[in-house]
């Protein structure tokens, strides 16, 4: 959801804010705006549309000129994308940018109206906060911010400037992430680390209820009660290059190519002498041995990684795994037992629904384990145990490398649990680990082997209104992600179906020329899957089959075949994912869509 930035220092503030916002545009991109102190006065520039629209507007109308200010890129929650609803929003003496959601904004607005504050210009919850800050402001910014924090309900991070405190930026965090960057004689705020990497790698992580004051190039902190706080400076291990496109036309294709490295970096520290070892994550065989049931809870792509995890853990560790969508799980009063394990998977570590699940787990005696990519994110900090995936920054909204490393972690966990519970012996465990260690190389080979075919087949998909992804077992789990990837960036309606379930209703959708993509990498289920492929083919479907290099598929079943390298059946999802990602990518490219910033989406979903 929205990205916020701020700067205080010797550089041209507008340039810094725009550059930082460019790195946060993945969080929201329906409007953008900045507020900069120019000769002691707050100047605001904002515009509906992409950041480039704001830049064009400023080229035409003039840009604010100064050395301190705040900026915002928006994913609309309250009020449609428009110039008026764009941030920053102002009261008479206060201007703010906001990431998150104010749940009680209607009550607060009514309170302000009752107190003769009626000058609301926008439909946003943010403007209510700006007006409320203004209402309580008596010349002491910190006291005013603390007063308002008591009134607000929801999750939010704010960047604030007060008209009578020139060259100073205030920031506060409640739930929504916010970091404070520290350079030489300059300071920054940002919703995410990549925004400031061009200027500094040193940053502080703002905690719940903490307020930062950026002035004269340095930062001071206080807590919710106004007490000064000493914070530890962290250093980002992501560099600027890893957050850049590096010669690729889109982040998505760059990130697809980064998968071998991402997998290697994720698994290597968790393998010792050919056996899984998750002790650095606080997980020991003893912890795993007594687990009763496992719940995997996540959203979107991360949930799909959990689906693969379910099949693999159940198969190898003979432990029952339930996979849930976080927004459902948190409200369905789940039965979580004392020896159960709840695994929360999240790239960002900030997804509101996934985060809420941790509160639920805390009320039980079960343990929580977070599988998270962003270090220090809320979910990582709140869980009992954490396995960090080391994918590096994922900028494209459509997740690829984060999914791949989530799969890698699911495998590591499955192997470790299976071994700890005595369901596989050491020899089998070693073989599985060796197979996983081989994956980076195989992904590389797969990209080379399928890229041309995927590019070509995508030209056949662009005219489709709707398509189906089908598979059985692990192929079904995988096809869920293939389908999501394709629909979110190509805007072609797509559903994934368990191949055997098709004829219970959905097959009636199949008509002449409808693309059906079948994933058929599970040899034990091959015959049955092929029968299902033939059933749709007989009804006019254009069939695209993803299978390994040796599988024999009847000529009359497949219009197009995408062959991937053969590895052990249980690990096939990590290979078969690649053509699904490439099919989605090239279909979106061929349709002329904005691949990295698909419409209506945002990278990090910090509201319910
Ligand atoms: C789709 C995608 C989303 C995310 C979902 C959860 O490509 O990326 O479906 O997987 O919003 O986000 P995280 O993993 O950050 O919790």
């Amino acid at each position: 959801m929205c990205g916020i930035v701020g700067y205080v220092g010797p550089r041209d503030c507008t340039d810094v804010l725009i550059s930082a916002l460019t790195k946060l545009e993945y969080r929201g991109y329906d409007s953008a705006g900045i507020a900069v102190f120019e000769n002691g006065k707050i100047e605001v520039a904002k515009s509906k549309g992409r950041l480039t629209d704001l830049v064009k507007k400023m080229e035409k109308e003039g840009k604010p000129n100064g050395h301190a200010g705040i900026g915002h890129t928006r994913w609309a929650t309250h009020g449609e994308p428009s110039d008026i609803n764009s941030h920053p929003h102002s009261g008479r003496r206060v201007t703010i940018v906001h990431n998150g959601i104010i749940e009680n904004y209607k009550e607060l607005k009514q309170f302000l109206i009752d107190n003769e504050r009626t000058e609301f210009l926008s439909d946003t919850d943010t403007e209510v906060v700006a007006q409320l800050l203004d209402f309580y402001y008596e010349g002491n910014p910190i006291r005013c911010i603390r007063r308002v924090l008591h009134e607000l309900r929801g999750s939010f991070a704010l960047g604030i400037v007060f008209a009578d405190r020139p060259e100073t930026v205030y920031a506060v965090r409640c739930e929504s992430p916010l970091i404070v960057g520290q350079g030489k004689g300059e300071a920054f705020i940002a919703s995410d680390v990549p925004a400031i990497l061009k200027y500094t790698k040193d940053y502080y992580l703002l905690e719940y209820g903490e307020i930062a004051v950026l002035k004269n190039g340095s930062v001071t902190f206080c807590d919710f009660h106004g007490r000064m706080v000493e914070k530890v400076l962290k250093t980002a291990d992501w560099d600027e290059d890893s957050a850049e496109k590096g010669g690729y036309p889109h982040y998505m294709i760059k990130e697809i190519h980064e998968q071998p490295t991402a997998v290697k970096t994720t698994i290597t520290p968790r393998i010792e002498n050919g056996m899984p070892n998750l002790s650095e994550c606080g997980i020991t065989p003893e912890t795993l041995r007594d687990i009763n049931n496992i719940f995997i809870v996540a959203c979107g792509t991360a949930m799909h990684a959990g689906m693969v995890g379910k099949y693999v853990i159940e198969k190898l560790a003979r432990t029952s795994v339930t996979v849930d969508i976080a927004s459902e799980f948190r409200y369905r009063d789940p039965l979580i037992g004392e020896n159960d394990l709840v695994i929360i998977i999240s790239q960002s570590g900030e997804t509101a629904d996934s985060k809420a699940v941790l509160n639920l787990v805390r009320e039980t005696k079960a343990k929580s384990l977070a599988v998270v990519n962003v270090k220090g994110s809320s979910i990582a900090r709140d869980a009992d145990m954490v396995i960090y995936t080391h994918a590096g920054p994922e900028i494209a909204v459509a997740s690829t490398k984060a999914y791949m490393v989530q799969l890698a972690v699911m495998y590591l966990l499955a192997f470790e649990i299976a071994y700890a519970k005595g369901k596989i012996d050491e020899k089998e465990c070693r073989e599985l680990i060796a197979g996983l260690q081989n994956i980076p190389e195989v992904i590389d080979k797969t990209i080379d082997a399928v890229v041309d075919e995927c590019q070509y087949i995508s030209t056949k998909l662009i005219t489709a209104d709707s398509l189906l992804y089908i598979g059985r077992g692990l192929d079904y789990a995988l096809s869920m992600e293939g389908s999501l990837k394709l629909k979110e960036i190509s805007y072609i309606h797509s559903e994934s179906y368990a191949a055997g379930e098709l004829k219970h209703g959905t097959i009636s959708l199949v008509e002449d020329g409808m693309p059906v993509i079948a994933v058929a990498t599970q040899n034990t289920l091959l015959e049955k899957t092929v029968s299902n492929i033939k059933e749709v083919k007989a009804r006019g479907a254009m069939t695209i089959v993803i299978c390994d290099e040796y599988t024999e598929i009847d000529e009359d079943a497949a219009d197009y075949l995408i062959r991937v390298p053969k590895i052990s059946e249980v690990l096939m999802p990590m290979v078969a994912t690649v053509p699904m990602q490439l099919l989605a990518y090239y279909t979106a490219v061929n349709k002329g869509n904005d691949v990295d910033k698909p419409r209506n989406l945002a990278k990090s979903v910090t509201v319910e």
Side-chain angles (χ1 to χ4, degrees):
M1 315 277 83
C2 309
I4 67 180
V5 296
Y7 177 70
V8 172
R11 300 177 202 257
D12 179 316
C13 180
T14 298
D15 289 353
V16 175
L17 295 177
I18 295 296
S19 150
L21 285 174
T22 311
K23 301 291 180 331
L24 292 186
E25 233 193 333
Y26 67 88
R27 300 178 72 88
Y29 32 85
D30 57 44
S31 45
I34 59 168
V36 173
F37 282 105
E38 184 174 301
N39 301 323
K41 225 175 126 241
I42 299 171
E43 292 295 337
V44 172
K46 54 188 189 174
S47 166
K48 178 186 165 188
R50 299 288 165 100
L51 202 55
T52 47
D53 295 305
L54 173 66
V55 171
K56 275 186 212 140
K57 188 172 175 180
M58 291 194 297
E59 274 164 10
K60 231 162 88 196
E61 297 174 8
K63 66 169 196 175
N65 217 330
H67 299 283
I70 50 180
H72 189 263
T73 178
R74 179 169 187 245
W75 186 84
T77 55
H78 297 82
E80 56 164 12
S82 68
D83 282 2
I84 289 287
N85 287 335
S86 310
H87 299 212
H89 288 284
S90 302
R92 292 170 202 161
R93 295 158 300 169
V94 187
T95 295
I96 70 169
V97 288
H98 164 215
N99 169 29
I101 204 153
I102 307 298
E103 284 164 5
N104 58 336
Y105 82 103
K106 282 193 183 146
E107 290 161 38
L108 296 171
K109 190 168 183 175
Q110 194 53 53
F111 165 79
L112 288 163
I113 291 169
D114 293 345
N115 283 278
E116 288 161 18
R117 293 284 180 134
T118 51
E119 60 266 37
F120 293 97
L121 302 175
S122 76
D123 306 318
T124 63
D125 51 348
T126 307
E127 191 185 5
V128 175
V129 181
Q131 295 281 8
L132 198 65
L133 282 161
D134 195 75
F135 181 78
Y136 286 121
Y137 188 50
E138 290 169 338
N140 182 330
I142 299 284
R143 196 181 303 149
C144 168
I145 293 169
R146 287 175 48 221
R147 176 77 178 83
V148 167
L149 284 185
H150 283 289
E151 309 262 327
L152 302 180
R153 270 205 327 269
S155 68
F156 52 90
L158 303 171
I160 311 167
V161 285
F162 291 84
D164 63 355
R165 290 287 186 281
E167 311 309 312
T168 310
V169 168
Y170 297 82
V172 59
R173 173 191 183 177
C174 283
E175 304 283 355
S176 303
L178 198 63
I179 58 117
V180 178
Q182 179 68 77
K184 284 201 182 80
E186 56 186 354
F188 308 78
I189 60 168
S191 299
D192 203 354
V193 174
I196 58 159
L197 286 177
K198 182 171 171 188
Y199 306 103
T200 179
K201 286 171 107 180
D202 296 333
Y203 70 95
Y204 300 97
L205 199 64
L206 218 55
E207 304 284 345
Y208 184 92
E210 283 181 347
I211 301 166
V213 184
L214 283 66
K215 197 177 172 184
N216 296 332
S218 63
V219 197
T220 51
F221 301 95
C222 68
D223 68 11
F224 199 64
H225 307 285
R227 292 180 297 235
M228 297 303 282
V229 177
E230 287 294 325
K231 292 187 69 69
V232 179
L233 195 63
K234 295 174 182 293
T235 302
D237 52 13
W238 295 350
D239 56 21
E240 204 200 341
D241 283 352
S242 58
E244 294 288 344
K245 279 190 209 151
Y248 288 95
H250 301 101
Y251 282 112
M252 182 175 173
I253 191 72
K254 175 188 174 234
E255 288 163 4
I256 289 172
H257 281 272
E258 283 171 348
Q259 293 183 119
T261 309
V263 172
K264 200 170 178 179
T265 321
T266 300
I267 63 171
T268 305
R270 284 79 188 249
I271 297 173
E272 207 179 281
N273 299 326
M275 291 293 279
N277 185 341
L278 296 169
S279 54
E280 61 134 7
C281 318
I283 303 167
T284 58
E286 292 71 46
T287 340
L288 301 175
R289 197 168 298 143
D290 299 330
I291 291 172
N292 217 347
N293 300 301
I294 296 177
F295 296 91
I296 302 182
V297 192
C299 303
T301 291
M303 191 272 289
H304 294 156
M307 285 301 296
V308 172
K310 171 187 166 72
Y311 278 87
V312 180
I313 296 169
E314 286 193 339
K315 187 178 171 63
L316 297 175
R318 309 308 299 150
T319 301
S320 159
V321 182
T322 311
V323 180
D324 262 280
I325 295 167
S327 55
E328 288 296 312
F329 188 79
R330 64 183 287 196
Y331 294 117
R332 81 165 164 80
D333 206 2
L335 294 166
I336 308 174
E338 189 169 344
N339 288 329
D340 292 349
L341 175 70
V342 182
I343 303 175
I344 292 120
I345 309 177
S346 175
Q347 187 283 129
S348 63
E350 299 293 346
T351 303
D353 285 314
S354 305
K355 201 162 111 183
V357 169
L358 282 172
N359 300 334
L360 205 76
V361 181
R362 224 170 283 125
E363 288 163 19
T364 71
K365 290 191 173 146
K367 286 264 176 288
S368 60
L369 164 64
V371 178
V372 166
N373 195 43
V374 177
K375 293 218 178 91
S377 55
S378 309
I379 294 175
R381 286 184 300 152
D382 290 354
D384 296 321
M385 298 165 281
V386 190
I387 304 181
Y388 279 113
T389 53
H390 298 306
E394 190 179 62
I395 309 291
V397 166
S399 181
T400 53
K401 62 175 179 171
Y403 173 73
M404 189 66 96
V405 291
Q406 287 161 357
L407 293 188
V409 169
M410 290 295 104
Y411 283 105
L412 278 174
L413 263 174
F415 302 163
E416 176 99 317
I417 300 171
Y419 184 62
K421 282 181 175 281
K423 303 293 177 190
I424 55 172
D425 60 22
E426 188 178 328
K427 182 171 170 284
E428 204 176 341
C429 194
R430 283 186 186 283
E431 277 168 14
L432 287 163
I433 284 287
L436 191 60
Q437 284 175 309
N438 199 27
I439 288 290
E441 199 182 315
V442 186
I443 295 175
D444 250 340
K445 276 193 199 141
T446 309
I447 296 176
D448 289 346
V450 303
V451 66
D452 291 344
E453 194 66 9
C454 289
Q455 210 163 349
Y456 174 69
I457 295 172
S458 71
T459 63
K460 310 284 169 197
L461 300 179
I462 50 175
T463 49
D465 295 324
S466 183
L467 62 82
L468 290 174
Y469 252 103
I470 61 170
R472 283 172 178 261
L474 274 172
D475 288 334
Y476 169 48
L478 195 60
S479 73
M480 291 180 183
E481 177 55 10
S483 173
L484 176 65
K485 211 75 332 178
L486 197 113
K487 77 177 117 186
E488 71 178 323
I489 57 172
S490 74
Y491 314 146
I492 297 170
H493 172 254
S494 164
E495 294 299 330
S496 63
Y497 251 81
E501 180 66 9
L502 263 189
K503 45 184 163 301
H504 298 286
T506 307
I507 201 165
S508 69
L509 290 174
V510 176
E511 56 184 356
D512 251 3
M514 181 191 207
V516 175
I517 304 174
V519 192
T521 70
Q522 300 297 298
N523 283 337
T524 38
L525 297 164
L526 187 69
E527 241 175 71
K528 293 182 196 305
T529 307
V530 170
S531 299
N532 300 131
I533 299 171
K534 285 184 179 172
E535 285 159 10
V536 292
K537 182 96 185 90
R539 286 158 181 85
M542 175 180 83
T543 54
I544 298 147
V545 180
I546 300 173
C547 61
D548 73 49
E549 56 202 323
Y550 303 117
T551 298
E552 284 179 23
I553 300 278
D554 298 348
E555 265 177 31
D556 56 348
D559 290 302
Y560 301 99
L561 267 179
I562 303 177
R563 292 196 177 275
V564 294
K566 184 173 172 58
I567 54 171
S568 83
E569 201 166 303
V570 76
L571 286 167
M572 278 308 284
M574 297 199 72
V575 177
T577 303
V578 173
M580 300 194 315
Q581 295 169 337
L582 291 170
L583 278 177
Y585 172 73
Y586 285 112
T587 306
V589 169
N590 285 330
K591 287 190 76 174
N593 295 352
D594 188 339
V595 175
D596 288 333
K597 299 187 200 95
R599 69 184 176 208
N600 304 336
L601 292 177
K603 183 75 183 161
S604 162
V605 184
T606 52
V607 294
E608 270 195 59

